[in-house]
Amino acid sequence: MKKRTYTDHSIASSDITPEQVFLNRRALIKASAGTMAGALVVPSIAAAQASAQSALSFSPDADRSLVDEQTPYDAVTTYNNFYEFGTDKSDPARHAHNMTTDPWTVKVGGLVNQPGSLHLEDVLSKFDLEERIYRFRCVEAWSMVVPWVGFPLSQLLKRFEPKAEGKFVEFKTLYRRGQMRGTRSFTSIIDWPYREGLRMDEALHPLTLVAVGLYGKTLPNQNGAPLRLVIPWKYGFKSIKSIVEINVTAKQPKTSWQMLQPSEYGFYANVNPEVDHPRWSQRFERKLPSSIFKPNRVPTLPFNGYEEQVAGLYQGMDLRKFY
Ligand SMILES: Nc1nc2c(c(=O)[nH]1)N[C@H]1C(S)=C(S)[C@@H](COP(=O)(O)O)O[C@H]1N2
Ligand SMILES: [Mo]
């Protein structure tokens, strides 16, 4: 397979599997005739806008040093956690296509001066999309490196003018039982909708991204289409998918995993090799793709390698207690 470089975001047609074609069917249909297959064409924008939008701008601080570590597209899009579609890692890729993402609205409220809604079209026209290559570490000790396409969450929050009393931000995922088989299952363990939260300073941190794409393409449903958070220094479960509601709150919001098992999943969930999960060590991770023959086991870094950028947010806090 052709190796992709930082500037080469197109996926050669020889690299496109039938599954990818299927997943990007809608994006490809919307693409104007001259648009290269695989360029970022986001579902809701008209073909006229598409050519302008597909020219992504790249942030100078995108971490180019991670280019060679990028996890193959197929691994990123077939080994997922998205419990709304089932608990098996292969369930989201098999079932998330049942979720319709167009039209899509995000309601923003709580302690803000300008409550309101954002339609996906607004998201794409009002914010400057850029690429960020991030390490991503799941609490279940697997990891990947993904070139996300998105914009800092701070840009979105500022438009709604959070009030001074707003100390936290709460996020909710779409809950649509008819399209989400995992929420109807007897083995469903989460109290839906899936919820997450961040402290305001974490939410405003420049590394906290709202992603709408990966590998230069529209976000596949299994990865949280049409928009999801990516918080690279925290365990993966904080990076909530398919967001429909955002509220600024005074108190620390309840999160799905904490509600389920507070002894295993803390609110902060900063990646910390020193603090074991009650049932396994966090000292190492398996970099995807990983197999018994090639486990790809590497040590986990404090704050997942982003210590320099984020450790300051937690000064004076006991990170063994606030895990
Ligand atoms: N709504 C929702 N968001 C979610 C989850 C989920 O089950 N539902 N799983 C989380 C977990 S545990 C991880 S590791 C990441 C996985 O993201 P990925 O599938 O894009 O790798 O999504 C997070 N966001
Ligand atoms: Mo996870």
Side-chain angles (χ1 to χ4, degrees):
M1 193 162 128
K2 191 173 94 177
K3 190 153 180 196
R4 291 178 203 113
T5 62
Y6 184 69
T7 46
D8 178 17
H9 300 283
S10 62
I11 295 191
S13 52
S14 58
D15 287 347
I16 299 176
T17 62
E19 187 187 12
Q20 274 172 260
V21 171
F22 173 74
L23 290 168
N24 290 283
R25 183 185 35 140
R26 197 171 46 169
L28 292 170
I29 290 167
K30 297 247 176 177
S32 55
T35 309
M36 190 174 46
L40 179 82
V41 183
V42 182
S44 298
I45 42 175
Q49 262 180 296
S51 53
Q53 288 288 345
S54 63
L56 296 175
S57 61
F58 297 103
S59 150
D61 57 335
D63 196 343
R64 301 183 63 137
S65 66
L66 291 173
V67 167
D68 292 337
E69 292 187 48
Q70 289 179 143
T71 307
Y73 182 90
D74 285 351
V76 175
T77 56
T78 58
Y79 190 92
N80 302 97
N81 269 344
F82 200 165
Y83 275 54
E84 284 84 337
F85 299 101
T87 50
D88 199 273
K89 301 284 179 265
S90 62
D91 282 334
R94 282 190 288 165
H95 304 298
H97 64 88
N98 291 316
M99 172 174 68
T100 50
T101 59
D102 185 7
W104 192 274
T105 306
V106 184
K107 211 177 118 214
V108 185
L111 299 170
V112 293
N113 289 323
Q114 307 283 347
S117 292
L118 268 182
H119 300 287
L120 190 61
E121 295 83 342
D122 305 332
V123 172
L124 300 166
S125 58
K126 295 195 164 88
F127 305 106
D128 302 324
L129 300 185
E130 50 182 276
E131 184 178 72
R132 298 281 187 91
I133 307 176
Y134 280 164
R135 297 177 196 281
F136 188 89
R137 170 61 158 79
C138 176
V139 75
E140 291 166 74
W142 49 268
S143 70
M144 54 189 188
V145 173
V146 181
W148 301 101
V149 178
F151 56 92
L153 173 65
S154 64
Q155 283 185 19
L156 186 155
L157 288 174
K158 282 173 186 163
R159 290 188 80 85
F160 294 89
E161 299 177 17
K163 296 183 181 181
E165 315 92 89
K167 302 287 184 229
F168 293 90
V169 189
E170 172 190 63
F171 304 86
K172 290 181 190 168
T173 293
L174 175 75
Y175 175 36
R176 197 181 280 154
R177 284 173 65 88
Q179 296 181 354
M180 297 175 147
R181 70 202 308 270
T183 66
R184 307 190 298 264
S185 147
F186 287 117
T187 55
S188 161
I189 46 173
I190 292 174
D191 180 19
W192 311 104
Y194 190 100
R195 272 165 259 195
E196 258 308 333
L198 293 172
R199 216 169 58 189
M200 184 60 82
D201 58 345
E202 299 177 320
L204 296 178
H205 193 279
L207 284 176
T208 302
L209 201 71
V210 177
V212 297
L214 58 81
Y215 266 113
K217 294 151 71 93
T218 306
L219 209 55
N221 279 7
Q222 61 268 38
N223 292 92
L227 79 173
R228 53 94 52 91
L229 291 188
V230 186
I231 310 142
W233 71 95
K234 292 179 179 284
Y235 289 120
F237 64 88
K238 298 294 289 184
S239 293
I240 183 171
K241 296 176 167 179
S242 305
I243 298 167
V244 291
E245 194 179 322
I246 301 177
N247 294 306
V248 174
T249 64
K251 286 199 193 127
Q252 184 174 304
K254 290 250 182 308
T255 73
S256 293
W257 292 103
Q258 272 190 303
M259 288 190 276
L260 178 72
Q261 191 48 273
S263 64
E264 298 191 5
Y265 307 98
F267 178 80
Y268 286 95
N270 292 321
V271 174
N272 189 347
E274 300 294 315
V275 176
D276 291 344
H277 183 279
R279 293 182 279 131
W280 59 81
S281 162
Q282 295 291 22
R283 287 191 188 284
F284 291 88
E285 62 201 55
R286 291 181 298 114
K287 282 187 82 172
L288 299 184
S290 140
S291 69
I292 329 177
F293 305 107
K294 205 165 172 272
N296 261 344
R297 199 164 171 267
V298 300
T300 288
L301 300 170
F303 295 103
N304 199 31
Y306 299 92
E307 182 168 20
E308 203 182 307
Q309 291 99 315
V310 301
L313 297 176
Y314 310 102
Q315 247 162 24
M317 277 174 69
D318 179 353
L319 292 173
R320 292 181 155 274
K321 189 160 161 235
F322 297 100
Y323 56 86

